[in-house]
Amino acid sequence: TVAPLGVSQKVIAINNQFPGPLLNVTTNWNVRVNVQNNLDEPLLLTWDGIQMRMNSWQDGVAGTNCPIPPGWNWTYQFQLKDQIGSFFYFPSLGLQRAAGGYGPVTVNNRAIVPVPFNQPDGDITLFIGDWYTKSHTELRDMLDDGKDLGIPDGILINAKGPCRYDTTLVPEGLQYEIVGVEPGKTYCFRVHNVGTSTSLNFRIQNHNMRLVEAEGTYTYQQNYTNLDIHVGQSYSFLVSMDQNASTDYYIVASPRFVSSEARWHDVNGVAILQYSNSKGSASGPLPDAPDDFYDKYYSMNQARSIRMNVSSGAARPNPQGSFRYGSINITQTFVLKNESPLRIDGKRRRTINRVSYSPPETPLRLADLHNLTGVYKTDFPTMPSNAPPRRASSVLNASYKGFLEMVFQNNETDVQTYHLDGYSFFVVGMDYGEWTPNSRGSYNKWDAISRSTTQGLPRRVDCGSGVARQRRHLEYTCRKAGQLV
Ligand SMILES: *[C@@H]1O[C@H](CO)[C@@H](O)[C@H](O)[C@H]1NC(C)=O
Ligand SMILES: *[C@@H]1O[C@H](CO)[C@@H](O)[C@H](O)[C@H]1NC(C)=O
Ligand SMILES: *[C@@H]1O[C@H](CO)[C@@H](O)[C@H](O)[C@H]1NC(C)=O
Ligand SMILES: *[C@@H]1O[C@H](CO)[C@@H](O)[C@H](O)[C@H]1NC(C)=O
Ligand SMILES: *[C@@H]1O[C@H](CO)[C@@H](O)[C@H](O)[C@H]1NC(C)=O
Ligand SMILES: *[C@@H]1O[C@H](CO)[C@@H](O)[C@H](O)[C@H]1NC(C)=O
Ligand SMILES: *[C@@H]1O[C@H](CO)[C@@H](O)[C@H](O)[C@H]1NC(C)=O
Ligand SMILES: *[C@@H]1O[C@H](CO)[C@@H](O)[C@H](O)[C@H]1NC(C)=O
Ligand SMILES: *[C@@H]1O[C@H](CO)[C@@H](O)[C@H](O)[C@H]1NC(C)=O
């Protein structure tokens, strides 16, 4: 039981820690993790973004394994591939992640594989994410009843509430994260959005963040003063402690692409960066979030600027050298469209191509292993349609060793993230509006980032759509010239 926001609540701890302990591992290692489930409900742990190409049994999602029953234990075993970087594990069932259960996985390079930057002086892992004082079972019941989760009660950084950056907003007595650093040193910040639904903008006051790695791929290194990190995404930044230690500095994770409701203003994750020779505490307003009111493409251009460093030697999807994905012929195309919840048998359900997935009692891979037929159907529609929405155990029929093109068409008014568990994919394009075959003309066929989780921004920031940027004074303004609501 902890009280990150001043309200006592039960959380899922691992080995008595929340966040859970670090798995500090090196490529090629065979890893064995024994998971003892002491919850009162079934559990699976998944190793987010770690490729399990030949080993999906270890993936820890409902599609492959039976859940670990309460009181039982299960040993995961897998070999790490040439994927160097920052990952995390988390419970994959029943919204349990909203109660914790997550922890870091750092995959190091073998000594003979060089990394494209100088060895940092230390590692700092930060878990950022929205947080509700309701339990995950209450949240789950809300979703089952077709309700939205609403505005979270706060944003946590490493399972702690915000520092008291604003005495009217933040009550006294909350514990907050203090990141201690030495002046002149450079640290690798490993940042993960472990929240449930809120995209976050991450920034460190007065400090540049040099992005070096995204979900197992070395990036073309560039400085950012802030970066949007969507739910489930992970990044590594190098940050040099090159500032004056006249004060401490704020580390901020603030909500992005949220509605104009006033209460969103009050939820910010704020930690403290403290130099060992610091002369005072941080004060004043938080560093500004980007203003995409005047630049609708701000976030998208930022996402497009995250590219793979094609001349670096490892941490790549293909260890054999440059992976010329742009010249491989596509064998299948899937256009996957999510819409606002639709009614199925009287309940509001999320769908993709009008199918709301219903996990069969026997996991898919186990059904395969035992040659059971009728457990699921490979009839998932490859294109959106206006077919009546349905619940089904419906699976995409993809061909073994095929090279797939997948289009995620976000038809909702909020950001969605899409995750291919156990796989990485190249994010070759991203845009507003409707995808058409002509969109292929703008694909990045050279240095697209390969990752496991990507965002789909809302279709358009329209006047009154509820996604217009929230203003400090609660003005609800619209990009369309002359319109002010
Ligand atoms: C993780 O392992 C690496 C390589 O073995 C080691 O250099 C590093 O100090 C370890 N980090 C932590 C936090 O244990
Ligand atoms: C884990 O489960 C095995 C049976 O699968 C059992 O023999 C063993 O005692 C269990 N270990 C713990 C620590 O509970
Ligand atoms: C790309 O990787 C190479 C080789 O490791 C490295 O020397 C170079 O600095 C990197 N470039 C950028 C822009 O990240
Ligand atoms: C990136 O930021 C670091 C630290 O502030 C600075 O030393 C470096 O010159 C910057 N690089 C670029 C390309 O701006
Ligand atoms: C460091 O702080 C002092 C005041 O404490 C200020 O005069 C000086 O300009 C600052 N230097 C830098 C590089 O910001
Ligand atoms: C890709 O398709 C083109 C045109 O159909 C064909 O000429 C080419 O050989 C194919 N490339 C590969 C690698 O299969
Ligand atoms: C499933 O079918 C395959 C191929 O027909 C066969 O080799 C295998 O023994 C079957 N497995 C079971 C559990 O019946
Ligand atoms: C799946 O696709 C393959 C080849 O693309 C096709 O031969 C097969 O009939 C399909 N199976 C189903 C159940 O649709
Ligand atoms: C959803 O798709 C329909 C049909 O293509 C379109 O008319 C509508 O504007 C879309 N809505 C959003 C929010 O993208």
Side-chain angles (χ1 to χ4, degrees):
T1 301
V2 294
L5 296 173
V7 178
S8 278
Q9 57 189 130
K10 281 195 162 178
V11 299
I12 301 175
I14 301 206
N15 296 358
N16 255 332
Q17 297 173 42
F18 170 48
L22 167 69
L23 256 68
N24 189 27
V25 291
T26 299
T27 60
N28 277 8
W29 280 15
N30 287 300
V31 178
R32 202 177 278 186
V33 189
N34 180 255
V35 176
Q36 166 78 41
N37 179 13
N38 285 351
L39 301 179
D40 57 7
E41 50 181 43
L43 170 84
L44 280 173
L45 278 194
T46 186
W47 322 93
D48 194 59
I50 298 218
Q51 287 178 20
M52 297 284 180
R53 281 186 188 127
M54 308 309 287
N55 210 355
S56 63
W57 296 112
Q58 307 302 323
D59 212 9
V61 290
T64 58
N65 308 60
C66 288
I68 309 168
W72 289 44
N73 74 84
W74 171 260
T75 301
Y76 291 90
Q77 281 190 74
F78 48 89
Q79 188 183 20
L80 294 157
K81 302 298 176 192
D82 257 339
Q83 249 188 322
I84 296 164
S86 309
F87 304 89
F88 63 102
Y89 58 85
F90 67 90
S92 66
L93 301 177
L95 225 61
Q96 285 167 352
R97 192 167 89 190
Y102 50 77
V105 182
T106 297
V107 183
N108 301 291
N109 59 310
R110 284 174 295 147
I112 56 159
V113 179
V115 297
F117 46 84
N118 292 335
Q119 191 64 33
D121 297 303
D123 269 2
I124 292 163
T125 295
L126 294 178
F127 286 104
I128 60 177
D130 53 15
W131 187 258
Y132 296 84
T133 52
K134 287 197 175 75
S135 71
H136 73 283
T137 51
E138 285 172 272
L139 296 174
R140 198 159 69 196
D141 290 346
M142 285 170 71
L143 289 184
D144 284 344
D145 289 346
K147 294 187 189 125
D148 284 329
L149 298 181
I151 298 177
D153 299 294
I155 309 290
L156 302 193
I157 298 186
N158 284 356
K160 297 189 182 116
C163 75
R164 210 150 181 240
Y165 66 96
D166 181 328
T167 51
T168 61
L169 290 180
V170 184
E172 265 179 278
L174 295 190
Q175 253 200 26
Y176 54 91
E177 182 74 352
I178 300 177
V179 176
V181 292
E182 295 292 327
K185 296 212 161 155
T186 296
Y187 296 85
C188 182
F189 279 69
R190 303 173 181 273
V191 189
H192 314 274
N193 184 337
V194 286
T196 301
S197 69
T198 313
S199 296
L200 297 171
N201 181 265
F202 179 78
R203 52 200 186 274
I204 306 175
Q205 191 174 29
N206 284 18
H207 288 76
N208 273 328
M209 312 190 296
R210 181 147 58 99
L211 182 67
V212 294
E213 180 264 334
E215 292 159 22
T217 303
Y218 289 135
T219 61
Y220 185 84
Q221 294 169 25
Q222 294 177 88
N223 280 344
Y224 294 84
T225 51
N226 68 79
L227 195 77
D228 287 343
I229 306 182
H230 301 273
V231 172
Q233 293 186 327
S234 298
Y235 289 107
S236 304
F237 306 97
L238 294 185
V239 184
S240 295
M241 299 305 137
D242 56 5
Q243 293 298 302
N244 216 319
S246 47
T247 65
D248 294 343
Y249 297 92
Y250 289 125
I251 298 174
V252 184
S254 60
R256 289 281 275 157
F257 301 105
V258 294
S259 76
S260 61
E261 277 179 71
R263 216 152 54 76
W264 272 113
H265 273 305
D266 306 350
V267 290
N268 284 305
V270 189
I272 291 294
L273 181 75
Q274 187 168 67
Y275 283 45
S276 59
N277 59 343
S278 172
K279 291 183 198 67
S281 48
S283 59
L286 298 180
D288 276 338
D291 186 347
D292 41 9
F293 177 68
Y294 297 104
D295 181 4
K296 180 165 83 83
Y297 275 90
Y298 185 93
S299 189
M300 193 170 286
N301 283 338
Q302 195 181 55
R304 288 168 172 169
S305 74
I306 298 170
R307 289 171 293 132
M308 171 165 67
N309 180 345
V310 288
S311 63
S312 66
R316 297 244 223 128
N318 179 340
Q320 274 83 42
S322 177
F323 193 49
R324 296 179 179 276
Y325 68 92
S327 53
I328 300 173
N329 290 337
I330 290 166
T331 47
Q332 284 170 294
T333 294
F334 299 105
V335 179
L336 305 176
K337 178 177 177 177
N338 56 284
E339 302 172 79
S340 323
L342 299 169
R343 289 218 159 256
I344 305 175
D345 301 333
K347 286 207 161 178
R348 280 170 89 227
R349 300 274 185 196
R350 295 268 165 181
T351 58
I352 291 180
N353 290 358
R354 300 272 161 131
V355 178
S356 179
Y357 182 69
S358 163
E361 211 168 302
T362 305
L364 308 175
R365 296 286 289 120
L366 273 181
D368 291 344
L369 182 70
H370 294 282
N371 299 334
L372 295 180
T373 54
V375 171
Y376 63 89
K377 284 189 178 158
T378 47
D379 64 350
F380 198 92
T382 58
M383 292 287 153
S385 73
N386 292 324
R390 61 193 170 104
R391 285 196 88 199
S393 306
S394 175
V395 174
L396 276 182
N397 180 21
S399 44
Y400 182 55
K401 292 194 173 171
F403 198 66
L404 313 185
E405 176 187 43
M406 292 186 124
V407 179
F408 298 108
Q409 180 74 54
N410 182 9
N411 192 239
E412 297 183 59
T413 52
D414 46 11
V415 181
Q416 299 297 320
T417 56
Y418 308 91
H419 172 64
L420 292 197
D421 199 62
Y423 284 90
S424 290
F425 50 83
F426 295 95
V427 184
V428 294
M430 191 184 287
D431 213 336
Y432 287 110
E434 203 89 13
W435 180 87
T436 71
N438 288 337
S439 310
R440 290 177 177 139
S442 63
Y443 282 0
N444 175 354
K445 293 192 162 191
W446 171 241
D447 60 359
I449 193 77
S450 171
R451 66 187 311 172
S452 64
T453 309
T454 190
Q455 68 269 40
L457 297 185
R459 187 170 207 259
R460 208 167 239 302
V461 182
D462 274 334
C463 204
S465 70
V467 292
R469 180 182 172 270
Q470 155 198 4
R471 310 288 303 187
R472 225 163 251 291
H473 310 295
L474 272 190
E475 274 171 19
Y476 198 140
T477 349
C478 183
R479 279 183 61 79
K480 286 179 184 161
Q483 284 188 21
L484 202 74
V485 181

